[in-house]
Amino acid sequence: MEQVDYDDSTFETFFSNPPAELAFDQLDLNRIPRHISCIMDGNGRWATARGLNRGEGHKAGIVALREIITACVRLGVDVLSAYAFSTENWKRPKQEVNLLMHLFAQTFVDELPLLKRENVRVVFLGDISALPKRTRDVFEFGLNETAHHTGMVLALAVNYGARAELTRAARLLAEDVAAGRLTSEHIDEQAVAGKLYTAGLPDPELIIRTSGELRLSNYLLWQAAYSEFYITSTYWPDFNRWELIDAILAFQGRDRRFGGLSKGREA
């Protein structure tokens, strides 16, 4: 796999030589989304199209994620979240699931120096207690190693499902009520948000889905209430810094009304 040199790269060097067709000079660095979320889809199809096994697609997807992490750090993004493994992904062939769990553990070990150098704090969305011990131990080690970091937050959704997350939040709130820590009258949107895996993080302003699929796939159902969506037919392993810039430019060209009127319109 191609290794991209990110060491000590500045914004100018990392984003040098943009494609001619990309309106890079129109990027407004003052309107970069605080939270960008990626539904990383298409690893298997990328591999199949090249006559490779699906595992090679997942390995290539890790290289792509490494580039997007660095790009988001250079752009000043506060939170980058990525859908790595859903609660439904356990239904995949056992060999593929085992490979993914091995890749998760190995990749986290390999990428920890980069995360430390970039001052990235890692959090996990989902129930990592259900993961194999080797993967869980590595994840918990990484959590501890980056807990003091003050830069971008990398939120990895592993064994995550939005319906399971909302069910968990309801159960936690019910337990608080039963224990007398909370009354039902005080259960509001803020209380619910505080019991989600994303508690303390801003909702995603931009959700990017690769491979052309037009669905959320049980991802961040609560948090995506006012997110802008960007769909690209590009498979995740081919999604790079320039594709990211294209997505951000599309985001910056939209009128975000949050249920209100368009700019310039009168009631």
Side-chain angles (χ1 to χ4, degrees):
M1 292 182 293
E2 177 188 2
Q3 295 296 315
V4 183
D5 183 10
Y6 301 141
D7 292 2
D8 302 320
S9 63
T10 64
F11 178 90
E12 289 75 16
T13 57
F14 189 80
F15 289 106
S16 62
N17 302 314
E21 66 275 12
L22 182 68
F24 186 69
D25 59 340
Q26 296 180 20
L27 182 69
D28 185 349
L29 293 177
N30 294 314
R31 293 198 298 125
I32 300 296
R34 289 187 63 200
H35 181 173
I36 296 176
S37 192
C38 297
I39 300 177
M40 306 181 294
D41 198 13
N43 290 347
R45 279 166 285 174
W46 179 92
T48 299
R50 287 160 175 76
L52 304 171
N53 64 54
R54 291 176 61 87
E56 294 304 312
H58 293 310
K59 292 176 183 177
I62 290 168
V63 176
L65 179 59
R66 182 186 304 131
E67 179 166 347
I68 298 307
I69 290 171
T70 307
C72 285
V73 170
R74 298 292 177 272
L75 289 164
V77 173
D78 291 339
V79 181
L80 171 65
S81 56
Y83 203 7
F85 190 87
S86 75
T87 50
E88 290 77 25
N89 286 157
W90 293 107
K91 300 174 185 176
R92 292 186 177 186
K94 184 176 181 181
Q95 183 178 3
E96 182 177 353
V97 171
N98 289 341
L99 173 63
L100 280 169
M101 293 299 151
H102 170 75
L103 282 176
F104 288 156
Q106 188 60 52
T107 300
F108 210 77
V109 171
D110 292 343
E111 301 304 324
L112 196 54
L114 170 68
L115 299 175
K116 289 184 174 182
R117 185 168 61 247
E118 299 289 1
N119 195 28
V120 172
R121 179 167 66 91
V122 177
V123 300
F124 287 97
L125 314 179
D127 180 13
I128 65 171
S129 68
L131 302 180
K133 185 177 186 304
R134 160 66 175 162
T135 305
R136 186 174 67 250
D137 288 348
V138 170
F139 281 0
E140 290 175 351
F141 176 76
L143 285 172
N144 291 330
E145 287 291 297
T146 68
H148 64 285
H149 290 180
T150 58
M152 187 184 77
V153 173
L154 174 62
L156 297 172
V158 181
N159 195 27
Y160 173 87
R163 289 183 173 180
E165 177 184 36
L166 291 168
T167 301
R168 171 180 174 271
R171 183 173 62 252
L172 292 174
L173 289 169
E175 290 173 357
D176 283 349
V177 171
R181 294 187 294 267
L182 183 70
T183 64
S184 59
E185 292 78 9
H186 287 92
I187 298 177
D188 54 13
E189 291 186 10
Q190 184 176 0
V192 175
K195 298 298 185 182
L196 300 178
Y197 290 118
T198 52
L201 301 178
D203 289 339
E205 293 180 271
L206 173 61
I207 295 179
I208 299 168
R209 178 155 194 163
T210 56
S211 86
E213 303 294 350
L214 303 175
R215 57 180 179 269
L216 269 174
S217 296
N218 196 21
Y219 182 59
L220 300 183
L221 298 180
W222 175 280
Q223 300 87 338
Y226 284 104
S227 300
E228 296 292 328
F229 289 85
Y230 179 84
I231 308 297
T232 174
S233 59
T234 300
Y235 293 143
W236 177 254
D238 289 329
F239 191 83
N240 58 26
R241 68 193 78 180
W242 306 119
E243 294 256 2
L244 176 66
I245 294 297
D246 209 24
I248 295 173
L249 286 169
F251 169 85
Q252 292 183 347
R254 298 181 187 177
D255 179 11
R256 305 189 72 209
R257 298 189 296 275
F258 300 97
L261 295 172
S262 299
K263 294 178 180 177
R265 289 184 58 184
E266 297 180 357

